[in-house]
Amino acid sequence: MRFRRSLRFSLLAWAVHSKERSLLDYLAEARCYLELEEHETALRRFQEGSIVIRSHIHKYVKLLLTFNPAVYLQPQFRGQIDLRRLTRIYQWLDPTLDENAVFDMQRMNLFILAQDPNNWKWVESIPAAIWDSKIDWVGKAIWDDPKPQIYARLPKTLELMESMIETNRRFESYQTEVQAISQLGISFHDWLKLTPSTEIKLDGAKLMYIIPSKPLELQPSI
């Protein structure tokens, strides 16, 4: 995805806020440097942002997984959440994991769920980001069961984790794109003017291939 389109998307998308700076802060600052054709400075802003933003997303994802991530694999979520989706979350945290490894990680957690069918230990430990009794349970009787309300939020919570991870990947792809601009020796303004050919592509996809005269030395995002 070209920087112009992806940047426009991100300005409308979810932003990761930290105590110091947000994703949009880094994007806006990098864009300013690119407009000035200061590619190296823009790249440093992306590198700095990648470290900060990934760190915050990592902590938030771990928080939303809760102390017992197996709760996302309960039978009632069949058709909404499966092991494959949960595995993709874990693979972002640790790329060496596969479905078998993630399932092995959840074996004991599933046993813990079976030992506590009412799940009260889990309910008492869930973060306010998912459910806050001081806000979400106001006016309820002490004998009312909050679990149906909490469980109803878990599919959306998983979607939020996926969205945050996708946002992080997009941000890191911008860093790679700026490296390409710099190594190709093309100005940012000329880069924005590049457009796909008018030739009709399969499924109507608008693809554009850029073939450099020599391989680019692109560094992976941190």
Side-chain angles (χ1 to χ4, degrees):
M1 182 176 289
R2 299 250 319 274
F3 186 95
R4 175 172 55 182
R5 291 182 180 177
S6 50
L7 176 61
R8 186 177 300 146
F9 176 89
S10 291
L11 290 174
L12 298 173
W14 173 86
V16 181
H17 289 283
S18 69
K19 292 181 179 178
E20 300 174 352
R21 312 186 63 182
S22 74
L23 178 147
L24 296 185
D25 290 333
Y26 286 108
L27 283 175
E29 187 175 350
R31 176 67 186 246
C32 288
Y33 283 115
L34 287 171
E35 292 284 356
L36 296 172
E37 303 298 347
E38 297 185 19
H39 300 169
E40 294 304 315
T41 305
L43 183 57
R44 285 196 295 272
R45 294 285 76 78
F46 275 120
Q47 291 170 336
E48 176 188 337
S50 291
I51 296 172
V52 174
I53 292 165
R54 186 180 180 90
S55 173
H56 283 279
I57 293 179
H58 185 281
K59 292 177 182 177
Y60 200 48
V61 166
K62 294 284 285 185
L63 179 73
L64 295 180
L65 283 172
T66 76
F67 88 89
N68 192 342
V71 72
Y72 286 96
L73 297 176
Q74 293 184 102
Q76 68 194 77
F77 299 127
R78 183 177 287 112
Q80 297 183 73
I81 302 174
D82 56 27
L83 180 60
R84 183 175 300 178
R85 287 182 67 187
L86 188 62
T87 297
R88 285 198 289 263
I89 300 292
Y90 272 100
Q91 286 176 331
W92 182 78
L93 297 171
D94 182 354
T96 66
L97 298 176
D98 58 17
E99 285 191 25
N100 288 332
V102 172
F103 181 74
D104 281 339
M105 292 169 62
Q106 302 310 319
R107 284 182 188 273
M108 183 55 68
N109 287 333
L110 290 167
F111 179 71
I112 292 173
L113 284 178
Q115 282 188 316
D116 182 21
N118 291 323
N119 243 356
W120 286 115
K121 291 182 180 179
W122 178 80
V123 170
E124 292 171 355
S125 69
I126 59 174
I130 296 178
W131 185 82
D132 188 345
S133 60
K134 296 178 181 178
I135 298 175
D136 301 312
W137 208 238
V138 175
K140 299 292 184 178
I142 191 171
W143 55 80
D144 287 336
D145 186 359
K147 292 195 296 298
Q149 185 185 86
I150 299 171
Y151 291 157
R153 297 183 179 187
L154 293 184
K156 288 295 184 182
T157 301
L158 188 73
E159 287 181 12
L160 175 60
M161 287 188 275
E162 291 171 333
S163 175
M164 289 189 293
I165 290 172
E166 175 62 20
T167 296
N168 177 255
R169 286 173 173 156
R170 286 177 180 272
F171 187 85
E172 292 179 344
S173 73
Y174 306 155
Q175 178 178 327
T176 302
E177 190 170 353
V178 173
Q179 289 185 63
I181 294 172
S182 179
Q183 293 185 30
L184 287 169
I186 185 173
S187 75
F188 178 64
H189 295 87
D190 287 341
W191 179 265
L192 295 181
K193 294 175 184 177
L194 296 176
T195 57
S197 68
T198 57
E199 179 183 349
I200 298 177
K201 306 294 193 307
L202 182 64
D203 296 329
K206 295 183 178 180
L207 303 176
M208 178 171 57
Y209 296 93
I210 300 175
I211 304 176
S213 57
K214 59 180 181 179
L216 302 180
E217 298 179 359
L218 302 176
Q219 300 299 317
S221 299
I222 298 175

